[in-house]
């Protein structure tokens, strides 16, 4: 190359560098954010059917969850994380795709998840992340977008779970919540490529039905009696016909296997030993002192609630193990830790267990984010965020472009900006699965910070709640003169959201199919 040409190229290079420096430090350019340059690791802790009411950071009236509370203390707790469709597989599909059920194809638990579509783990993987999925997958199709997976088969058992990998299936002896954590820690320690940032989806079965506690907590709460929740004997007056039609009452619909008054399913020797230690003496007591009426309802509620809380307690213990590992290994600062469940759950509110409804206990799911490098600790945020926002948020955290067809949006501005950051004025919800377990009528609706409008389209019936005046949603004010304007505004917003989100037209006239979940047999246990 001629000297003169070389000189010209050097000048061009110098001018380019100067321009870049000007961009970085010039008066009109934003100040650079001082952070670690490497993209953060993401640990997504995901449980199944965990109610906010069973986390002390959310004000549980029942128990303490010190390790989840620690995450909340060190991060941001979202009070209003709303799910798009309150049931297992649809929630999981929404988390993976950043899309509502009608677009990702998973409207109910009955479908096979289409793993060929775009997902957040695939996009992170393509951007150089190492991706792993360990624990409960529950999407029937083979996991895609992961460098490594070790998953339960279907719902998986609470004890001695078969664990499936890309190449084989091995039964591991022990309590599933502990085992999933062992596998996650093994992967963090020895399994991953430590030159890459990682996404670890660490997903528990617990506290899904039928709530089998671990060996460490079999007798926890034995000396406690919990009072029935104030709405336990809800008679569903003022509501549509849907609530009264459902079969998910603690006092009527829990069966012997749920309540551990019968083994029913064949148990192996190890399971039998645990079962006898935990329930043998308690069942002797109930046999010798038969109960009836409200006393029997209270007994059932306590049996149910205590097993549920015991299952949660092991989740909390294991989250402590994981947080300790991140500290000890020096990973904590540049690792985002997220805690969430696939939906909320009823702990006797309205008399119920299970989920599905757009009512608050199942619409809301726990959501806590800790990100020491970027987010101030100890925040409580009331923004209307959602599980549809998880995928775009993780991509944003990783510096990966969010695809235009994702329907959620990044929560990062809220995480960094705090409570005054505007996020979403109204949220769309849609539940589809019917006829199915528990006979909950399909419905959709809109929730704002204060109001909730629900349409049960199989019944052609509406409900409207003022959450400020009626937080328990006992008083349906739809059609009342005082709410005419509010109702009209919500109807408009609902139609707008349905259009924005490309929701197909109402499936009316809805086929008047009969629903009888008493005849479901054991299928109810696979109902996510
Ligand atoms: Ca679930």
């Amino acid at each position: 190359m001629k000297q003169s040409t070389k000189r010209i190229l050097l000048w061009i290079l110098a001018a380019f560098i100067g321009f870049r420096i000007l961009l970085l430090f010039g008066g009109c350019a934003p100040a650079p954010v001082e952070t670690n340059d490497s993209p953060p690791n993401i640990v997504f802790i995901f449980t199944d059917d965990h109610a906010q009411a069973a986390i002390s950071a959310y004000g549980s009236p029942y128990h303490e969850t010190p390790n989840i509370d620690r995450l909340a203390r060190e991060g941001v707790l979202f009070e209003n994380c709303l799910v798009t469709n309150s049931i297992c597989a649809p929630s999981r599909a929404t988390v993976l795709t950043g899309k509502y059920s009608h677009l990702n194809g998973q409207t109910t638990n009955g479908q096979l998840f289409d793993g060929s579509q775009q997902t957040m783990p695939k996009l992170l993987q393509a951007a150089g992340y190492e991706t792993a999925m360990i624990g409960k997958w529950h999407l029937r199709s083979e996991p895609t977008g992961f460098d490594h997976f070790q998953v339960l088969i279907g719902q998986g058992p609470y004890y001695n779970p078969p664990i499936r990998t890309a190449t084989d299936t091995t039964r591991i002896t022990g309590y599933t919540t502990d085992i999933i954590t062992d596998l996650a820690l093994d992967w963090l320690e020895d399994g991953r490529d430590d030159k890459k940032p990682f996404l670890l989806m660490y997903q528990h079965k617990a506290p899904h039905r039928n709530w089998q506690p671990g060996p460490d907590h079999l007798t926890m709460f034995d000396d406690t009696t919990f009072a029935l929740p104030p709405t336990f004997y809800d008679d569903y007056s003022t509501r549509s016909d849907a609530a009264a039609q459902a079969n998910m009452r603690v006092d009527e619909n829990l069966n012997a296997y749920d309540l551990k008054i019968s083994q029913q399913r064949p148990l192996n020797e190890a399971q039998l030993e645990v079962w006898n230690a935990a329930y043998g003496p308690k069942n002797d007591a109930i046999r010798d002192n038969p109960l009836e009426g409200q006393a029997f309802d209270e007994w059932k509620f306590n049996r149910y609630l205590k097993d549920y809380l015991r299952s949660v307690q092991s989740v909390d213990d294991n989250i402590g193990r994981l947080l300790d590992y991140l500290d000890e290994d020096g990973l904590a600062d540049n690792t985002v830790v997220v805690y969430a469940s696939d939906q909320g759950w009823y702990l006797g509110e309205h008399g119920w267990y299970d989920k599905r409804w757009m009512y608050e206990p199942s619409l809301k799911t726990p959501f806590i984010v800790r990100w020491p490098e970027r987010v101030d600790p100890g925040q409580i945020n009331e923004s209307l965020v959602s599980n549809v926002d998880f995928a775009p948020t993780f991509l944003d955290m990783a510096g990966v472009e969010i695809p235009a067809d994702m329907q959620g949006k990044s929560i990062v501005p809220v995480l960094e900006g705090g409570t005054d950051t505007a996020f979403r004025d109204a949220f769309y919800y849609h539940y589809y699965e019917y006829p199915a377990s528990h006979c909950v009528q399909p419905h959709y609706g809109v929730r704002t910070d204060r109001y909730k409008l629900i349409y049960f389209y199989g019944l052609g019936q509406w409900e409207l709640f003022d959450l400020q005046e009626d937080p328990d949603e006992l008083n349906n004010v739809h059609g009342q003169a005082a709410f005419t304007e509010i109702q009209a505004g919500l109807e408009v917003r609902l139609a707008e959201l349905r259009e924005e989100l490309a929701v197909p037209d109402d499936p009316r006239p809805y086929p008047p199919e009969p629903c009888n979940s008493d005849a479901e047999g054991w299928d109810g246990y696979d109902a996510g």
Side-chain angles (χ1 to χ4, degrees):
M1 193 185 290
K2 282 184 187 170
Q3 282 300 317
S4 57
T5 312
K6 209 183 246 179
R7 210 173 304 133
I8 289 167
L9 282 176
L10 280 171
W11 273 109
I12 291 171
L13 184 67
F16 178 69
I17 291 169
F19 179 64
R20 292 299 299 269
I21 289 172
L22 193 71
L23 272 185
L24 275 174
F25 299 107
C28 56
V33 179
E34 283 182 29
T35 55
N36 187 335
D37 285 341
S38 54
N41 308 306
I42 300 169
V43 175
F44 180 61
I45 311 172
F46 199 48
T47 48
D48 196 324
D49 297 351
H50 193 181
Q52 287 188 352
I55 296 176
S56 40
Y58 279 94
S60 173
Y62 300 121
H63 70 155
E64 298 293 325
T65 48
N67 294 294
I68 299 176
D69 290 10
R70 177 186 159 191
L71 265 185
R73 221 170 33 244
E74 296 173 352
V76 185
L77 177 147
F78 287 89
E79 289 196 325
N80 295 307
C81 183
L82 314 178
V83 296
T84 57
N85 180 2
S86 182
I87 186 167
C88 295
S91 173
R92 287 156 199 274
T94 290
V95 167
L96 290 171
T97 61
K99 295 176 183 172
Y100 274 75
S101 305
H102 61 278
L103 289 194
N104 65 39
Q106 195 82 42
T107 54
T108 72
N109 276 336
Q111 294 121 344
L112 191 76
F113 177 67
D114 171 12
S116 71
Q117 66 186 299
Q118 166 187 281
T119 65
M120 169 269 295
K122 285 185 190 175
L123 293 167
L124 287 176
Q125 193 180 38
Y129 269 68
E130 178 106 332
T131 57
M133 162 66 229
I134 296 176
K136 185 167 181 179
W137 171 246
H138 193 245
L139 283 169
R140 297 194 184 194
S141 57
E142 190 82 344
T144 56
F146 297 101
D147 295 297
H148 173 84
F149 69 82
Q150 287 173 292
V151 295
L152 299 176
I153 298 170
Q155 293 286 0
Y158 269 100
Y159 280 88
N160 306 337
I163 297 287
R164 197 160 67 82
T165 69
T167 53
D168 60 17
T169 299
T170 311
R171 184 182 291 273
I172 302 180
T173 303
Y175 186 57
T176 299
T177 305
D178 299 332
I179 289 167
I180 289 171
T181 310
D182 294 343
L183 296 175
L185 294 179
D186 287 350
W187 182 80
L188 284 170
E189 180 71 20
D190 297 320
R192 67 192 172 91
D193 176 351
D194 60 11
K195 288 183 277 306
K196 287 180 170 181
F198 64 82
L199 165 73
L200 169 61
M201 300 186 80
Y202 158 60
Q203 306 194 165
H204 286 289
K205 172 198 174 64
H208 190 273
R209 194 179 179 187
N210 74 333
W211 322 290
Q212 292 180 20
D216 298 340
H217 299 295
L218 287 170
T219 57
M220 193 173 193
F221 309 115
D222 266 4
D223 299 327
T224 306
T225 302
F226 295 110
L228 292 175
T231 62
F232 188 83
Y233 288 113
D234 188 355
D235 62 3
Y236 316 120
S237 59
T238 85
R239 258 64 55 78
S240 73
D241 296 335
Q245 284 178 11
N247 289 329
M248 49 195 280
R249 288 197 57 90
V250 169
D251 55 3
E252 292 174 7
N253 303 112
L254 286 177
N255 62 34
Y257 189 62
D258 294 324
L259 294 168
K260 290 89 174 180
I261 47 181
S262 161
Q263 296 166 19
Q264 293 196 31
R265 281 178 166 179
L267 302 177
N268 65 30
E269 208 169 302
Q271 288 168 318
L272 195 60
E273 195 177 317
V274 172
W275 199 93
N276 282 333
Y279 301 103
K282 297 173 198 172
N283 285 336
D284 291 346
I286 190 74
R287 185 197 58 214
D288 297 340
N289 299 287
L291 299 167
E292 56 186 33
Q294 184 168 335
F296 194 29
D297 297 344
E298 285 169 351
W299 180 87
K300 281 190 270 194
F301 173 70
N302 272 270
R303 178 69 75 104
Y304 154 64
L305 179 68
K306 289 176 185 180
D307 279 347
Y308 181 94
L309 298 175
R310 291 164 180 145
S311 304
V312 170
Q313 219 67 47
S314 288
V315 170
D316 190 73
D317 293 347
N318 278 285
I319 289 172
R321 290 176 65 203
L322 184 100
L323 295 180
D324 287 348
Y325 177 84
L326 295 177
D327 285 340
E328 287 157 16
D329 208 56
L331 285 168
D333 278 352
N334 197 33
T335 297
V336 179
V337 179
V338 175
Y339 183 76
S341 171
D342 59 352
Q343 6 70 207
W345 184 259
Y346 293 89
L347 295 174
E349 300 93 340
H350 307 289
W352 290 332
Y353 61 97
D354 211 76
K355 52 255 181 177
R356 298 163 196 270
W357 302 98
M358 196 187 167
Y359 305 130
E360 295 290 272
S362 49
L363 176 66
K364 286 181 172 181
T365 199
F367 181 49
I368 300 170
V369 182
R370 185 185 82 170
W371 190 6
E373 292 227 331
R374 295 270 290 270
V375 176
D376 291 339
Q379 301 182 57
I380 293 177
N381 194 293
E382 294 182 356
S383 304
L384 300 181
V385 300
S386 166
N387 60 344
V388 79
D389 302 320
F390 293 179
T393 298
F394 296 172
L395 294 174
D396 193 14
M397 287 167 164
V400 177
E401 192 180 340
I402 301 166
D405 63 353
M406 283 196 176
Q407 298 180 304
K409 44 185 197 167
S410 171
I411 296 166
V412 171
V414 177
L415 289 168
E416 293 188 324
T419 46
D420 293 336
T421 312
F423 189 69
R424 177 181 280 131
D425 73 306
F427 176 76
Y428 180 73
Y429 177 83
H430 200 145
Y431 171 77
Y432 297 84
E433 191 173 283
Y434 182 91
S437 304
H438 306 300
C439 297
V440 173
Q441 285 281 345
H443 55 288
Y444 59 75
V446 59
R447 187 193 186 282
T448 65
D449 59 348
R450 176 161 177 183
Y451 296 101
K452 184 185 292 180
L453 179 69
I454 311 177
Y455 183 47
F456 292 91
Y457 53 87
L459 301 170
Q461 296 178 353
W462 294 83
E463 294 179 356
L464 171 62
F465 298 100
D466 178 346
L467 299 171
Q468 188 173 300
E469 297 300 319
D470 177 28
D472 291 332
E473 300 165 286
L474 298 172
N475 186 23
N476 172 21
V477 295
H478 187 266
Q480 293 186 8
F483 291 88
T484 304
E485 225 168 286
I486 300 284
Q487 191 176 305
L490 288 167
E491 284 167 2
V492 169
R493 201 68 192 92
L494 180 60
E496 286 171 352
L497 285 172
R498 285 175 56 82
E499 191 175 337
E500 268 170 40
L501 297 167
V503 185
D505 283 344
D506 281 4
R508 288 175 296 179
Y510 197 78
E513 296 177 70
C515 182
N516 176 16
S517 66
D518 290 342
E520 67 183 314
W522 292 114
D523 290 347
Y525 290 96
D526 295 323

